Each structure stands twice: as structure tokens, then as C-alpha cells.
Amino acid sequence: MNYTKNLSHNQLNAYIAKLINKVYSVLPIYEEDGKTEQLSNKIDGLLRCIDGFLCSYQCDEDLSLDIISYMQELQFADTHEEIRSCVLKVCNLLDKIKVGD
């Protein structure tokens, strides 16, 4: 059963917004503490969460692959510029998969 089919557009958009906020929260953590094990664990958890969501959510396959690709790139990013770039790209792509009313 595809659970996301049972959700309203508002519920889906609210969940996507929550994902965006979680991804965006990577930036201040990196800026404050650098690339720590805690940050790596957070990114790994986000990758699993987003991957699971995209597996059950019907959206453009190219967008899904781009999101996962940038999340995986984020795992290996070491500089502020790389991390910021990946975070902003993922947030932008997640915003694009929101559904209209």
C-alpha cells in the first residue's frame, strides 16, 4: 500500500517542509562544530529518511535521483562551500516536489 496516497496535499507539503527544515539544519551545525561524527550521523539519518519517503512518494524520477545524489554528496563534503551547495540544492529540489492544492 502506498501510504502517501492517503495523505492530503497539505499533509504531504507539511512533511516535505519538515524535511527541508531538517536538511537546512545541517548548515548551522557544520558552521558551529565542523564535520563531526554527530553531523555525519545526522546526514546519514536524513539520507535514509528522504530515500524512504521518495520510495513511497510518486514524483518525477529525475528529481528523486537528484535529491538522493546530492544527499550522498553531502555525506562526503568537507568544506563549507560544498556543504552549503548540497544543502541548498536538496532544499530547492524538495521544494519542487510539493503538490498543488
Side-chain angles (χ1 to χ4, degrees), residues 32-86:
E32 189 165 313
D33 300 325
K35 188 80 180 253
T36 62
E37 186 175 339
Q38 177 189 4
L39 181 60
S40 294
N41 291 340
K42 179 179 182 74
I43 292 168
D44 290 344
L46 283 169
L47 176 58
R48 285 190 303 274
C49 185
I50 291 170
D51 184 47
F53 172 69
L54 292 173
C55 286
S56 66
Y57 182 64
Q58 300 296 319
C59 71
D60 182 84
E61 287 180 20
D62 289 340
L63 279 175
S64 293
L65 291 172
D66 285 346
I67 291 167
I68 296 302
S69 295
Y70 284 117
M71 284 301 300
Q72 288 184 335
E73 185 178 333
L74 185 57
Q75 290 179 303
F76 302 104
D78 287 325
T79 68
H80 182 266
E81 183 179 334
E82 292 171 328
I83 289 176
R84 183 178 182 276
S85 177
C86 289

Side-chain angles (χ1 to χ4, degrees), residues 1-20 22-23 45-60 63-65 67-68 90 93-99:
M1 181 168 124
N2 188 345
Y3 179 73
T4 59
K5 288 184 180 181
N6 297 326
L7 300 175
S8 70
H9 289 176
N10 287 340
Q11 290 170 315
L12 280 169
N13 287 342
Y15 184 74
I16 293 168
K18 188 183 293 188
L19 289 176
I20 290 169
K22 287 180 179 183
V23 172
L46 283 169
L47 176 58
R48 285 190 303 274
C49 185
I50 291 170
D51 184 47
F53 172 69
L54 292 173
C55 286
S56 66
Y57 182 64
Q58 300 296 319
C59 71
D60 182 84
L63 279 175
S64 293
L65 291 172
I67 291 167
I68 296 302
V90 169
L93 291 168
L94 284 169
D95 192 56
K96 286 182 179 184
I97 65 171
K98 287 183 177 178
V99 291

